Amino acid sequence: MRRTVLKSLAVGGLALLAGCGFQLRGQSPLPFANAFVEAKANSALAARLRNHLALQHKLADQRERADTVIRFLNETRSKTILSLSGTGKVREYRLTLLVSIAASSVQGKERLAPAEIKLVRDFSFSDEQLLAKEAEEMALARDMEEDALRQILRRLAFVN
């Protein structure tokens, strides 16, 4: 009897949730047929964007075949010392990723004004845990790239 009541409450809750129009956010569709990505050859973020566009069948292999050109104007990474211990050893670092992008039509008409994305992550450092802290730094850098990619895609969803 108790199980039946719990099941009916769960089904009723799901019915209410479905009836209210709840839906997972998902991803915004990109408002262009295809795009060409212009960036330096060693840009990891541009490579991630190309892979994402290729999965959606929106990556043009040549600039002339694209209706939108996405340009990486700047991609800068830095690692600075945030704090030192009393003995002069590094205790914290700050990682910074600064990306500037713009989008235009192949003819040069601006579709997305130059936009700057700045991401900052701080992490503690210890000489005793060198390998673990290097792995943490690499994980933070990957996380920053993923966050920057999501922000770029959100901005690209609103190109005109």
Side-chain angles (χ1 to χ4, degrees):
M1 181 71 159
R2 187 171 189 220
R3 280 188 172 175
T4 308
V5 170
L6 288 175
K7 284 182 182 179
S8 62
L9 283 174
V11 169
L14 289 173
L16 283 173
L17 192 60
C20 75
F22 174 78
Q23 181 179 342
L24 291 175
R25 183 172 68 182
Q27 199 170 36
S28 300
L30 297 174
F32 45 80
N34 55 16
F36 181 78
V37 179
E38 282 185 357
K40 293 180 181 176
N42 61 351
S43 172
L45 192 54
R48 284 179 182 258
L49 180 60
R50 284 185 189 107
N51 289 339
H52 184 83
L53 292 173
L55 288 174
Q56 291 188 352
H57 306 290
K58 290 189 177 264
L59 182 65
D61 56 348
Q62 295 178 3
R63 180 185 170 99
E64 296 77 27
R65 293 184 182 172
D67 68 340
T68 302
V69 177
I70 303 165
R71 295 184 322 279
F72 278 76
L73 307 173
N74 181 27
E75 183 176 343
T76 308
R77 299 164 195 273
S78 65
K79 178 180 175 181
T80 56
I81 297 172
L82 193 59
S83 67
L84 298 171
S85 68
T87 59
K89 290 186 176 183
V90 176
R91 292 178 65 191
E92 290 180 303
Y93 280 108
R94 172 168 284 168
L95 298 176
T96 306
L97 173 61
L98 182 64
V99 180
S100 297
I101 62 162
S104 63
S105 66
V106 177
Q107 296 79 19
K109 181 183 175 206
E110 186 177 87
R111 299 190 74 189
L112 176 68
E116 188 175 274
I117 297 169
K118 183 177 182 180
L119 299 166
V120 177
R121 301 285 191 274
D122 298 336
F123 71 100
S124 62
F125 184 78
S126 172
D127 288 335
E128 290 87 32
Q129 302 172 338
L130 189 60
L131 292 176
K133 291 301 177 176
E134 286 177 357
E136 180 182 3
E137 180 181 345
M138 291 185 340
L140 286 172
R142 278 192 309 272
D143 177 57
M144 289 169 59
E145 284 180 1
E146 286 295 322
D147 193 9
L149 179 63
R150 282 191 295 270
Q151 289 188 38
I152 289 169
L153 289 170
R154 269 195 302 266
R155 290 172 192 229
L156 290 174
F158 295 101
V159 297
N160 53 10

